[in-house]
Amino acid sequence: MGLLSFIFLLVICLLQGSNTSLVRLNDNGYEGIIFAIDPRVPEDEKIIEQIKDMVTTASIYLFEATEKRFFFKNVSILIPNNWKENPLYKRPKHESYKHADVLVAPPTLPGRDEPYTRQFTACEEKGEYIHFTPDFVLGKKEKEYGPSDRLFVHEWAHLRWGVFDEYNEDAPFYSAKSKKIEATRCSTGITGLNRVHKCQGNSCTTRGCRIDSKTKLYEKDCQFFPDKDQTEKASIMFMQGINSVVEFCNKENHNREAPSIQNKLCNFRSTWEVISNSEDFKNTTSLVAPPPPPVFSLLKIRERIVCLVLDKSGSMNGFNRLNRMNQAAKHFLLQTIENGSWVGMVHFDSTAYIKSNLIQIISSKERNNLLESLPTTANGGTSICAGIKSAFQVIGEIYPQIDGSEIVLLTDGEDNTAKNCIGEVKQSGAIIHLIALGPSADQAVIEMSTITGGNHFFASDEAQNNGLIDAFGALASGNTDLSQQPLQLESKGLILNSNTWMNGTVIIDSTVGKDTFFLITWTVQEPIISLWDPNGIPMRNFTVDTVSKMAYLRIPGTAKVGVWTYSLQAKANSETLTMTVNSQAANSSVPPITVNAKMNKDTNSFPSPMIVYAEVLQGYVPILGANVTAFIESNNGKIEVLELLDNGAGADSFKNDGVYSRYFISYSENGRYNLKVRAQGGVNVAARYLRHPLNRASYIPGWVVDGKIEGNPPRAEIDEDTQTPLESFTRTASGGAFVISNVSTLPLPDLYPPSQITDLEATPVGDEINLTWTAPGDNFDVGKVQQYIIRISDNILDLRDNFDNALQVNTTDLLPNEANSKETFAFKPGNISEENATHIFIAIQSVDKSNLTSKLSNIAQVALFIPQTESDPDESHPNSGISVSSLVLLVVGSVAIISIILGAIIC
């Protein structure tokens, strides 16, 4: 790789994070924040005004909470295309739903208005987006969640700095060192009462909390009611709605005992310690003057403007590239691009040729006209800038301001002049999507897609991997209602030599079926095509395009639900066939099942590991139990197959959140890699998981005023562990391209330790403590470790910071299992040195055959005392409590997870 390419890679490395936010910190102020109003939200201009008020007040609260360091400088509000016109609404530039930091969208499920941040990576890593419902933004949920401006700052801390909540609804109470049962909170200076408060009609009763005989903590209906009037200033990540709370918990007042998610995932560090370690913090100093109010831009989504810029240089003659490009472009024009969009076309070699001015797609007539403009011959050199400048000309003839228009650039060649137009591209306001074909496509152009917020795809010369069609298929607009977007159900290919048949099935589930499109391609000779619907009725009338060597069929109306079967018979001796199937939501009111895939970074340097993520959702509800497989293709077409897991271990931060993850370390060469994911669900295997989302705003059950509880309206009752079985489904998704450098060709020693154990749990049984955890592997989450080192202590920080000096447990009989198996081990704790010890803390380190050790596991704890409950007056009166006297000797295991997933490695 040349020096120029290396410099571009370095620039990209600094520009790109793991998510798609366009937010930048400039002179202490956050710029480029995007609030996107979902197209399904009924038009209401009050939402826009409330967003402005919320952010303006939140900016001052954030400034004070961060020691006069951060504020909100400018915010764009994306307004849906279906809202009425207003002269104040401008056209977006790079802003789109894909880059939204805050979504204002319908609730996850009816009645679920809790604000939350979609966050599935490790501590200190940025989240995906914040989800506010319209009712929350309009101020209708303030009683339950507190003022919206303060809550925005709470969620911003999740999103920007990767901190977590300091409450835990799965573990609302814990056995404290004080030998009392305490509410999980930070700081412990927050005062309140633990009570059971029940209302029927206008009549409410309150009583003290009883101890649950199983957990030895307070019963399920017990809640912590904070005092309305407090003096404690921390913490915003516990309950920012308390008037006195204006700070994050810091090293001095942080509650390390509580089983909060922050303690679990951030190694018992306070939220302020994590924020202080962020790049934002390190690159700023406190200000003296108060910040200016935020500036707002109102941007309305318009009809889509796309110009295809297609490489027809001489190198496109090789590897059947020209024809494969035409097949994929035809699929895009026939199926992917939406009605109402404007599309133009430019070809380029050493110069550029305008082949079609912008045409608005109203019917199949315009689509067919564009098909006829595709290149038929390939020759000449490569001038990417010439192609892009001609695209600007095409767009500018109809839209003099080319802001927000899209250029789909497909190129297979190097062009050392491409850097010359980067400045012009950046200033244009256009979005560049790069499809790199083959191993030599220019590295410099990646920066164009990066700085304009575009997508970057890679397709190898292995036609059976279907990379080009997948890339064009992934370029559906993200700014339309999900029910209007084509989803890829299938993408498969085969090289056929001795065997002449490619047989398979495609499942069409009830959430899709509208505008279903089957596409078949070949490289030599048209195969015999057979396709049957679920009733066994053969489908006829494929449109055959012999020039581009493809055939396609659009199913009218809504395709039948069930298993569709296809059989393709090759006529040539050596043939490559592919099958692609797309479909849209069958019903606009029922969200379709979707799969989104991505890597944790867009560039990486060997030997740093990467993480593959695939999110399987229906609307915003996670789908559990799916079989999810990642296919990672290198520059030369070699494919690495990875089974992704949602088990809360290894690379997976949260169990059962619908995000399936795995480490990727099998780098075979330098250059681009392409990610593709397939998700399948079988009958009664996959299920919707209806529990409340993680990292959500704390619901305030009520306040204590003058010693009495004033309750808030109860939340919508849903069984938290409800799983709704799903029918069978299949989806495939492109996760785009990423670039690897510094891969060694020499044999190397073992570079990878076992992954960190993050789900260690401890349960007392008699005089023993039972441990369970998920086995790590010899190399992160692959293989088998050599041994486990288990140590115990009566001091959590001693165990964390001086693990090697803590008391070791005899593990001679503990033989490790394969990675991702369940491990169990029981031991007698023996003597803890400290007489006044209240807890035993336990942690594990794994060792592989090369003697490499993992990071320290999360720390599990076991209490060694009888808890004291709050004494309370007479239970017979409303708003009074009961004293609980019957206490049982207990040893309580509550888990505190430290999860520092091996993460962001230096580019």
Side-chain angles (χ1 to χ4, degrees):
M1 186 182 292
L3 177 63
L4 180 67
S5 296
F6 174 77
I7 290 166
F8 275 124
L9 272 180
L10 189 61
V11 170
I12 292 154
C13 198
L14 297 172
L15 282 170
Q16 286 282 84
S18 63
N19 72 346
T20 53
S21 173
L22 299 178
V23 173
R24 295 288 174 266
L25 182 62
N26 182 13
D27 293 334
N28 296 72
Y30 289 108
E31 299 180 332
I33 300 164
I34 299 171
F35 274 69
I37 302 170
D38 190 282
R40 291 169 295 167
V41 173
E43 182 162 357
D44 186 349
E45 286 185 9
K46 283 183 191 166
I47 290 174
I48 297 168
E49 293 312 308
Q50 290 291 104
I51 290 171
K52 288 180 178 179
D53 291 348
M54 171 173 70
V55 176
T56 303
T57 320
S59 185
I60 299 162
Y61 186 66
L62 176 70
F63 186 68
E64 296 299 331
T66 55
E67 298 179 352
K68 304 187 187 303
R69 200 174 279 266
F70 304 120
F71 62 94
F72 299 124
K73 191 179 276 189
N74 65 52
V75 175
S76 298
I77 301 173
L78 276 184
I79 295 154
N81 190 25
N82 54 9
W83 286 29
K84 66 175 181 285
E85 283 299 335
N86 183 317
L88 296 175
Y89 299 165
K90 301 289 184 272
R91 189 179 185 92
K93 281 192 178 182
H94 305 146
E95 301 86 356
S96 70
Y97 282 83
K98 170 191 163 189
H99 302 295
D101 302 289
V102 184
L103 291 174
V104 179
T108 314
L109 291 167
R112 289 271 188 89
D113 279 280
E114 62 264 289
Y116 68 90
T117 301
R118 186 65 167 150
Q119 197 177 4
F120 51 70
T121 49
C123 183
E124 295 188 285
E125 292 187 15
K126 292 180 176 68
E128 303 299 304
Y129 58 82
I130 296 165
H131 182 169
F132 289 151
T133 67
D135 277 0
F136 170 79
V137 172
L138 291 167
K140 296 178 183 177
K141 300 294 172 181
E142 197 164 302
K143 266 192 171 184
E144 295 93 322
Y145 298 106
S148 61
D149 58 312
R150 288 168 161 242
L151 201 135
F152 179 42
V153 172
H154 173 102
E155 299 302 336
W156 182 261
H158 282 307
L159 184 76
R160 185 70 189 178
W161 302 310
V163 297
F164 294 89
D165 291 320
E166 288 165 333
Y167 46 84
N168 186 348
E169 291 192 16
D170 292 331
F173 298 99
Y174 67 99
S175 301
K177 274 188 178 176
S178 61
K179 299 194 175 180
K180 289 181 179 176
I181 299 175
E182 290 279 5
T184 300
R185 66 198 190 281
C186 193
S187 78
T188 49
I190 300 288
T191 57
L193 295 175
N194 303 316
R195 294 290 184 269
V196 174
H197 180 76
K198 294 278 187 185
C199 294
Q200 272 194 324
N202 295 324
S203 172
C204 298
T205 57
T206 305
R207 62 170 174 80
C209 300
R210 303 185 179 111
I211 285 186
D212 182 290
S213 59
K214 285 183 182 172
T215 66
K216 304 299 189 275
L217 295 169
Y218 286 138
E219 60 194 297
K220 184 174 178 285
D221 290 335
C222 183
Q223 291 178 295
F224 174 71
F225 291 85
D227 290 325
K228 185 81 171 174
D229 296 317
Q230 308 254 1
T231 56
E232 183 59 39
K233 291 184 176 182
S235 169
I236 289 167
M237 297 314 290
F238 171 61
M239 200 176 279
Q240 72 295 322
I242 295 169
N243 284 339
S244 64
V245 168
V246 289
E247 295 175 359
F248 294 94
C249 262
N250 58 36
K251 201 171 186 176
E252 283 67 47
N253 58 20
H254 178 56
N255 177 10
R256 287 182 186 83
E257 286 190 293
S260 66
I261 302 169
Q262 172 67 19
N263 275 336
K264 288 179 175 188
L265 292 178
C266 295
N267 203 3
F268 297 92
R269 290 177 297 159
S270 67
T271 49
W272 187 245
E273 285 174 88
V274 173
I275 293 167
S276 304
N277 197 44
S278 68
E279 288 304 309
D280 289 357
F281 195 92
K282 291 172 185 173
N283 293 331
T284 51
T285 53
S286 293
L287 300 176
V288 178
V295 175
F296 295 92
S297 305
L298 304 182
L299 308 174
K300 187 167 186 285
I301 299 296
R302 313 285 177 176
E303 65 274 15
R304 199 174 178 196
I305 302 162
V306 180
C307 187
L308 299 179
V309 178
L310 306 176
D311 191 340
K312 61 167 288 293
S313 61
S315 54
M316 289 292 288
N317 274 320
F319 302 100
N320 194 29
R321 286 176 184 168
L322 188 75
N323 194 59
R324 286 179 56 221
M325 176 179 77
N326 285 346
Q327 290 171 343
K330 285 185 176 183
H331 183 243
F332 175 79
L333 293 167
L334 286 167
Q335 178 63 14
T336 307
I337 192 73
E338 304 79 8
N339 272 343
S341 304
W342 292 79
V343 182
M345 191 184 300
V346 169
H347 302 171
F348 70 94
D349 43 43
S350 48
T351 56
Y353 314 88
I354 294 172
K355 288 297 177 180
S356 173
N357 288 318
L358 288 182
I359 300 173
Q360 188 171 28
I361 294 180
I362 298 161
S363 65
S364 56
K365 178 187 167 190
E366 293 80 21
R367 295 178 189 270
N368 290 328
N369 286 347
L370 285 159
L371 295 184
E372 289 168 15
S373 302
L374 289 163
T376 53
T377 56
N379 48 57
T382 305
S383 176
I384 287 166
C385 286
I388 289 173
K389 287 176 180 178
S390 292
F392 289 163
Q393 187 183 330
V394 167
I395 296 161
E397 284 183 9
I398 290 188
Y399 290 94
Q401 298 294 317
I402 59 179
D403 292 353
S405 58
E406 297 169 74
I407 291 172
V408 177
L409 170 65
L410 185 144
T411 180
D412 77 334
E414 292 191 25
D415 173 10
N416 58 14
T417 65
K419 66 183 186 298
N420 297 340
C421 57
I422 284 177
E424 191 177 341
V425 165
K426 189 175 181 180
Q427 291 303 314
S428 71
I431 297 161
I432 308 284
H433 303 298
L434 169 62
I435 301 175
L437 174 54
S440 303
D442 200 86
Q443 301 282 2
V445 191
I446 303 174
E447 193 190 349
M448 292 186 192
S449 64
T450 301
I451 60 179
T452 63
N455 294 313
H456 171 206
F457 300 99
F458 161 67
S460 75
D461 287 318
E462 301 294 326
Q464 74 279 7
N465 296 339
N466 216 23
L468 267 183
I469 287 170
D470 292 342
F472 270 103
L475 289 172
S477 170
N479 291 332
T480 55
D481 188 341
L482 191 59
S483 67
Q484 307 300 315
Q485 295 176 28
L487 303 171
Q488 199 173 59
L489 310 188
E490 187 58 277
S491 167
K492 266 187 181 170
L494 270 183
I495 296 176
L496 299 173
N497 289 314
S498 52
N499 176 23
T500 59
W501 294 92
M502 177 173 156
N503 300 323
T505 58
V506 178
I507 297 165
I508 294 182
D509 58 277
S510 62
T511 72
V512 291
K514 182 183 157 200
D515 201 21
T516 303
F517 190 83
F518 288 82
L519 171 72
I520 292 139
T521 73
W522 57 91
T523 54
V524 184
Q525 190 178 350
E526 180 190 344
I528 298 170
I529 299 170
S530 304
L531 174 69
W532 298 272
D533 78 1
N535 296 340
I537 297 168
M539 298 288 106
R540 316 276 186 207
N541 304 323
F542 270 85
T543 301
V544 178
D545 178 344
T546 50
V547 174
S548 293
K549 298 177 179 173
M550 56 191 274
Y552 51 90
L553 174 67
R554 194 183 304 275
I555 307 295
T558 303
K560 281 183 186 150
V561 171
V563 179
W564 291 62
T565 306
Y566 62 86
S567 184
L568 311 178
Q569 186 181 11
K571 291 181 184 173
N573 286 336
S574 182
E575 181 65 276
T576 302
L577 301 179
T578 73
M579 165 69 84
T580 311
V581 186
N582 289 75
S583 192
Q584 289 186 16
N587 183 336
S588 60
S589 61
V590 179
I593 296 165
T594 57
V595 177
N596 301 306
K598 72 168 197 170
M599 303 299 294
N600 66 326
K601 285 179 287 188
D602 296 321
T603 59
N604 197 25
S605 179
F606 177 84
S608 301
M610 292 188 73
I611 299 175
V612 192
Y613 294 111
E615 205 177 9
V616 188
L617 302 171
Q618 184 176 6
Y620 295 106
V621 177
I623 302 298
L624 309 189
N627 295 316
V628 184
T629 310
F631 302 88
I632 297 172
E633 182 181 13
S634 71
N635 238 348
N636 63 15
K638 181 186 175 189
I639 288 186
E640 190 72 28
V641 180
L642 281 176
E643 183 193 359
L644 307 185
L645 303 170
D646 184 14
N647 62 353
D652 194 60
S653 294
F654 296 99
K655 185 176 182 177
N656 292 344
D657 65 345
V659 178
Y660 297 73
S661 321
R662 203 70 185 270
Y663 286 108
F664 172 62
I665 52 177
S666 302
Y667 309 129
S668 55
E669 58 179 324
N670 287 318
R672 285 185 178 87
Y673 288 70
N674 185 59
L675 169 65
K676 177 172 168 175
V677 164
R678 169 189 299 277
Q680 291 177 286
V683 178
N684 299 325
V685 176
R688 297 178 197 87
Y689 196 31
L690 301 183
R691 69 174 297 148
H692 292 274
L694 288 160
N695 309 318
R696 62 186 181 272
S698 174
Y699 169 79
I700 304 164
W703 301 99
V704 178
V705 181
D706 298 329
K708 292 189 176 182
I709 288 172
E710 293 181 359
N712 279 332
R715 267 194 301 202
E717 283 297 318
I718 286 181
D719 182 356
E720 282 288 272
D721 293 318
T722 301
Q723 293 188 26
T724 314
L726 280 181
E727 61 199 304
S728 299
F729 70 89
T730 58
R731 296 287 185 277
T732 63
S734 173
F738 59 98
V739 180
I740 302 291
S741 58
N742 294 334
V743 176
S744 174
T745 53
L746 302 170
L748 291 168
D750 186 355
L751 297 169
Y752 300 112
S755 57
Q756 182 190 22
I757 294 166
T758 57
D759 60 351
L760 176 63
E761 295 191 22
T763 313
V765 179
D767 61 350
E768 289 190 328
I769 294 173
N770 276 7
L771 302 179
T772 62
W773 66 95
T774 302
D778 179 81
N779 293 328
F780 293 123
D781 52 12
V782 175
K784 189 192 291 188
V785 300
Q786 193 77 5
Q787 63 165 325
Y788 294 113
I789 299 168
I790 302 176
R791 295 183 186 271
I792 61 174
S793 173
D794 58 7
N795 184 305
I796 197 166
L797 293 185
D798 274 358
L799 188 62
R800 183 188 77 175
D801 300 333
N802 299 299
F803 179 75
D804 291 343
N805 296 325
L807 183 64
Q808 188 167 350
V809 174
N810 183 348
T811 55
T812 311
D813 298 333
L814 177 53
L815 299 175
N817 288 315
E818 281 289 325
N820 300 305
S821 311
K822 210 69 188 167
E823 299 276 31
T824 57
F825 180 68
F827 71 97
K828 291 183 180 179
N831 295 326
I832 290 289
S833 56
E834 181 63 51
E835 253 183 60
N836 297 324
T838 59
H839 293 78
I840 295 173
F841 299 99
I842 307 134
I844 303 183
Q845 212 168 34
S846 315
V847 185
D848 71 10
K849 60 179 179 289
S850 304
N851 222 27
L852 297 177
T853 54
S854 68
K855 288 188 176 181
L856 191 64
S857 74
N858 65 288
I859 296 176
Q861 66 185 50
V862 170
L864 300 172
F865 57 86
I866 301 167
Q868 303 162 17
T869 55
E870 296 170 317
S871 58
D872 217 12
D874 180 10
E875 79 164 309
S876 58
H877 303 298
N879 285 325
S880 67
I882 180 171
S883 140
V884 180
S885 56
S886 54
L887 300 177
V888 184
L889 176 68
L890 86 109
V891 186
V892 174
S894 73
V895 181
I897 298 173
I898 312 164
S899 178
I900 303 186
I901 303 291
L902 279 137
I905 315 291
I906 300 166
C907 288

